[in-house]
Amino acid sequence: MISKIRIFLLLAFFCASKSYAVLKVMASTENLKTVVKEIGGAHVEVESYCKGNQDPHYLEAKPSFMIKTHQADLVIAMGLELEVAWLPKVLSGGRNLKVMKGKKGYLEVGPLLDVLEVHTGHITRADGDVHPDGNPHVDLDPIRIGQIGKHVAARLALLDSKNKGVYEANAQKLMERMEAKTKVWAKRIAATGTKKIVTYHKTLTYFIDRFGLQSAAILEPLPGVPPTAAHILDVIKVAKQAGVKLTLVENIYDDSVAKRVAKELPGMRVVKVPISVGGRQDILKLDDVFEALVVAFEGDSK
Amino acid sequence: MSRYHLRLCLKLTVLIALSQSYQLKASNDGSGLSTAIAADLVGAFNLSKEDGGAKDSFDVRETEISFYAPIDHLFEGILSIAAHREGGEALYEVHEASISTSKLVSGLSFKLGQYFLGIGRLNRFHRHDWPFVSAPKVTNEFFGSEGVLDSGAEASYLFPSSVYINLTAGVTNGWTYGHSHNEGKKPKIPTHYARLSSFFEPADLGLATGLSYLSRTSAEEEKLQLIGFDGVAKIQSGSFPRFLLQTEAWHREVTPKTGDKSQSAGTYVYPQYGFSKSLSAGCRFDYFTVLSLKDANGSKIANSQYGFVPTLTYKSSEFASFRLAINHETTTQKNQDTTKKQYAELQSIFILGAHPAHDF
């Protein structure tokens, strides 16, 4: 009987120590969560605050986020003020000394990358919800995803040095896969002949930049401001003049305005595209996000 | 423009200029100082021929200027100064001046200074962040039109469990109770309070609930006891709340040194539907009764005050909102005539500068 108790205690200790070794990570978005999962593998347990069908700009600072933050070893955010409306409240409400800003357990990946649309002039609220430090949607460029993987690996290694080799190897694999696929995706997009697109929000800035595309117009008159009648007329005019044939509406936005615009523009296709893992039921990996965007360009020609 | 308005504009201009110079300085020195200025403009107009109690004028109800920043690597501070219109004068007063931290002990946060007590729902939010124009009858009676503020210390503990359970407890001077402008008197027992809150997330619904308790014994040995429940349910749709249900229910018992204790209770329920990011409509239902009202024979007198307030809100952004509320109030008491009031409230709120993230 005593030996059975010993075995049970040993097993319990083993299980407890094993679960303790796993790093608990909270990522601000599903895309970041997927990167962390790919880099950390079995050594991390990761959840995201924002789901693939939610807008990361306007999340509520829910108490359930605070309890998850309280239990986390690491919080990873995009930064560049993407989460400014809710994450500070979640961090202070979580009262976890390990993941406060400035600690090893808190990482913002956006500022570590080459950021586009950094504003240098005088910005006011009249310009809409502008992110002064640059466009925060860095996760919609496959190459930057690879770079994010490297930063995530470095931070995981800092918190769990014994698995440093695993994290670095996984980050290298992610980087190489994204570089290889980017070449293929670039060729496929180029083959469609589509250069200019309309989008709802400036979400696809990095994707557009990476694949040499042009944003002809944005359906929002200003960042974060819903389309107005006057602006819709402007978009129709610009799209007609530029010969735009494709409007991509990010899955977190309503596509009814885009469809109204398309009625005035013969040949204009409106495609609702996932911008996040989980943004559509079949989008399970980061590769699926980019694949869906490429397929949107290929449309009927595929 | 009246002398009041001139004085108010002058004071506001000085404060804004000051805040901007601080803001500029802050942006240069890396202190992280943020400034928020909120203006709450309200007009109340009678809708019936009888006097509905509204002033039939549109005024600046309140302006508030807040400065907040990390003080150092451990502490944060907030100072907010508000001006109210009282007796034709713009009275400036300190609303909040507190130092707080959540960086000392895991799971624990502390606050020291003057602040709105962390009980109930409305009392924890600035009035310009409420989903309706004016306080419901029950909170107006028990906490005043804005809420109870006092100086003291408050601690909040997040229980280390898989379900969100949070306990907030505090002690304040208690020399006065409510939103008082006099010094008051040293109480026999200072104001002490606690709130136990939790959060549930069935499917897309977020449901926050809280149980609050407050007590104080005044210098005249009058004991005040409040017990309340608050609940908020929200369903988020994309970037805006599609559905909001907010409620509070309170019971108050006042026991004087001599004489009978008085008891009263009330509640409000506010469901709101969001049509879009900009437009929402709701209707608040209010109920209040004095439970201890008795006639000369000691028999209980049935009485109630109830009302409903349909409210329409337009928000061009989180920094500007316009609201129309139609108040219907009815007061009944056994053997007395029922009285009714109807008045409309128009509200405009704008926020300049920063606007910190809100609680759920």
Side-chain angles (χ1 to χ4, degrees):
Chain A
M1 183 64 187
I2 289 171
S3 62
K4 276 183 184 171
I5 291 170
R6 276 185 188 157
I7 290 167
F8 174 78
L9 286 173
L10 271 171
L11 274 171
F13 176 74
F14 175 73
C15 293
S17 60
K18 196 178 175 192
S19 65
Y20 185 73
V22 172
L23 287 173
K24 287 187 176 174
V25 184
M26 285 306 299
S28 67
T29 67
E30 280 285 310
N31 286 354
L32 282 179
K33 172 189 154 184
T34 312
V35 172
V36 174
K37 190 72 206 160
E38 185 154 349
I39 305 301
H43 304 295
V44 297
E45 271 176 20
V46 56
E47 283 188 69
S48 67
Y49 298 111
C50 185
K51 302 303 168 203
N53 58 357
Q54 293 177 319
D55 186 341
H57 299 90
Y58 300 105
L59 227 49
E60 284 261 14
K62 290 194 280 192
S64 54
F65 292 169
M66 293 171 190
I67 200 78
K68 285 174 181 173
T69 304
H70 183 68
Q71 293 158 350
D73 298 301
L74 174 63
V75 170
I76 299 187
M78 208 72 82
L80 303 171
E81 296 197 347
L82 178 70
E83 304 95 344
V84 72
W86 53 273
L87 192 55
K89 198 83 199 173
V90 170
L91 289 174
S92 64
R95 285 160 271 180
N96 179 346
L97 308 186
K98 288 187 290 183
V99 300
M100 296 287 182
K101 259 189 165 179
K103 299 284 181 183
K104 278 196 293 187
Y106 181 79
L107 173 67
E108 285 183 3
V109 293
L112 305 173
L113 307 174
D114 177 21
V115 178
L116 301 176
E117 296 175 351
V118 179
H119 292 264
T120 50
H122 182 61
I123 301 166
T124 71
R125 291 253 170 73
D127 302 307
D129 288 341
V130 175
H131 298 277
D133 298 328
N135 188 311
H137 303 287
V138 287
D139 55 333
L140 287 168
D141 167 19
I143 297 300
R144 283 182 177 82
I145 282 287
Q147 294 164 354
I148 290 171
K150 293 269 184 183
H151 291 297
V152 168
R155 187 53 60 98
L156 291 177
L158 194 65
L159 296 168
D160 175 25
S161 55
K162 69 178 185 298
N163 291 308
K164 186 180 178 189
V166 176
Y167 303 140
E168 286 177 349
N170 287 343
Q172 187 60 30
K173 269 192 250 173
L174 174 66
M175 171 76 94
E176 285 169 9
R177 190 177 84 239
M178 284 296 149
E179 282 175 351
K181 286 200 168 185
T182 298
K183 287 176 189 162
V184 177
W185 288 326
K187 278 183 190 165
R188 282 168 60 190
I189 290 173
T192 66
T194 302
K195 273 268 182 195
K196 295 173 182 173
I197 59 168
V198 172
T199 60
Y200 188 97
H201 179 72
K202 282 191 164 187
T203 321
L204 292 168
T205 299
Y206 291 92
F207 185 87
I208 287 167
D209 181 65
R210 176 63 56 199
F211 294 103
L213 302 164
Q214 286 174 36
S215 170
I218 306 287
L219 286 168
E220 287 179 333
L222 293 166
V225 177
T228 58
H231 182 69
I232 290 169
L233 291 174
D234 283 346
V235 170
I236 291 169
K237 194 175 158 190
V238 168
K240 200 177 273 181
Q241 281 170 357
V244 182
K245 298 291 178 201
L246 181 62
T247 298
L248 299 181
V249 179
E250 303 87 330
N251 69 287
I252 53 175
Y253 299 113
D254 183 11
D255 60 359
S256 57
V257 171
K259 284 176 176 166
R260 259 187 6 239
V261 169
K263 277 185 186 167
E264 305 296 322
L265 298 165
M268 172 70 91
R269 284 189 301 122
V270 176
V271 184
K272 200 155 187 174
V273 286
I275 53 164
S276 169
V277 170
R280 213 170 60 196
Q281 272 191 335
D282 59 330
I283 307 298
L284 306 173
K285 307 193 301 278
L286 283 161
D287 311 51
D288 297 341
V289 176
F290 298 114
E291 185 64 29
L293 285 164
V294 175
V295 168
F297 279 80
E298 291 174 331
D300 299 336
S301 64
K302 199 187 173 201
Chain B
M1 190 182 268
S2 70
R3 200 182 295 172
Y4 162 77
H5 286 107
L6 267 172
R7 233 179 282 158
L8 188 62
C9 285
L10 200 66
K11 286 174 179 177
L12 200 60
T13 310
V14 171
L15 277 172
I16 289 170
L18 268 173
S19 78
Q20 282 184 340
S21 73
Y22 278 125
Q23 185 92 17
L24 276 174
K25 209 177 164 193
S27 65
N28 294 331
D29 67 11
S31 67
L33 182 65
S34 297
T35 312
I37 299 161
D40 181 8
L41 319 172
V42 175
F45 305 93
N46 290 303
L47 293 177
S48 51
K49 283 181 185 169
E50 303 85 51
D51 180 16
K55 283 174 66 182
D56 287 331
S57 71
F58 186 74
D59 298 300
V60 178
R61 180 166 71 173
E62 181 180 86
T63 54
E64 185 181 65
I65 181 161
S66 304
F67 301 98
Y68 57 96
I71 296 167
D72 58 19
H73 63 294
L74 290 178
F75 295 99
E76 294 180 348
I78 182 167
L79 170 67
S80 70
I81 301 158
H84 307 260
R85 187 175 189 181
E86 286 180 32
E89 278 288 312
L91 288 179
Y92 274 81
E93 62 180 8
V94 174
H95 257 182
E96 291 166 286
S98 67
I99 179 170
S100 63
T101 182
S102 52
K103 296 176 179 171
L104 284 178
V105 182
S106 181
L108 206 55
S109 57
F110 306 94
K111 187 155 56 177
L112 192 72
Q114 181 171 306
Y115 51 84
F116 284 96
L117 312 191
I119 51 168
R121 174 73 186 179
L122 294 178
N123 208 77
R124 295 181 293 117
F125 286 78
H126 288 188
R127 188 160 54 172
H128 58 255
D129 289 325
W130 292 358
F132 31 74
V133 180
S134 297
K137 177 72 184 168
V138 61
T139 57
N140 199 23
E141 284 285 333
F142 294 174
F143 307 110
S145 59
E146 280 179 277
V148 179
L149 59 81
D150 201 356
S151 294
E154 185 178 287
S156 196
Y157 181 65
L158 179 63
F159 285 84
S161 66
S162 56
V163 179
Y164 178 89
I165 302 170
N166 191 83
L167 179 66
T168 299
V171 182
T172 59
N173 288 333
W175 282 50
T176 60
Y177 175 78
H179 204 118
S180 174
H181 292 136
N182 59 51
E183 195 183 18
K185 278 185 185 170
K186 186 181 176 184
K188 292 286 176 197
I189 300 174
T191 303
H192 51 286
Y193 59 92
R195 178 173 180 265
L196 185 68
S197 59
S198 193
F199 183 79
F200 310 95
E201 229 174 347
D204 291 337
L205 183 75
L207 176 63
T209 58
L211 281 173
S212 300
Y213 172 82
L214 180 146
S215 183
R216 166 186 182 259
T217 303
S218 71
E220 293 77 24
E221 294 187 42
E222 183 182 81
K223 187 180 180 185
L224 165 74
Q225 264 190 316
L226 282 162
I227 296 171
F229 166 82
D230 62 273
V232 177
K234 285 184 194 177
I235 296 176
Q236 191 81 2
S237 171
S239 56
F240 64 95
R242 176 70 73 186
F243 179 72
L244 163 75
L245 180 70
Q246 182 172 319
T247 185
E248 284 182 73
W250 287 94
H251 176 272
R252 181 177 68 182
E253 187 176 283
V254 179
T255 313
K257 190 179 177 186
T258 54
D260 293 340
K261 64 172 73 168
S262 72
Q263 288 184 313
S264 43
T267 186
Y268 74 86
V269 181
Y270 180 69
Q272 178 186 282
Y273 182 81
F275 298 98
S276 66
K277 200 171 159 185
S278 307
L279 193 66
S280 59
C283 186
R284 197 182 73 217
F285 301 92
D286 293 356
Y287 177 78
F288 182 80
T289 183
V290 180
L291 298 162
S292 53
L293 194 64
K294 287 176 183 166
D295 62 19
N297 302 323
S299 303
K300 196 179 164 188
I301 302 173
N303 69 94
S304 66
Q305 294 178 53
Y306 56 91
F308 64 99
V309 190
T311 303
L312 187 70
T313 303
Y314 170 78
K315 287 186 173 198
S316 59
S317 68
E318 67 169 300
F319 307 103
S321 58
F322 303 88
R323 202 166 269 139
L324 170 66
I326 311 293
N327 290 265
H328 303 265
E329 293 176 7
T330 304
T331 304
T332 65
Q333 189 173 317
K334 194 180 171 186
N335 301 328
Q336 287 193 9
D337 290 341
T338 297
T339 58
K340 291 188 177 188
K341 285 181 185 175
Q342 278 191 357
Y343 59 97
E345 285 178 304
L346 281 167
Q347 183 185 35
S348 170
I349 297 167
F350 64 86
I351 293 163
L352 309 177
H355 195 209
H358 284 153
D359 282 326
F360 178 81

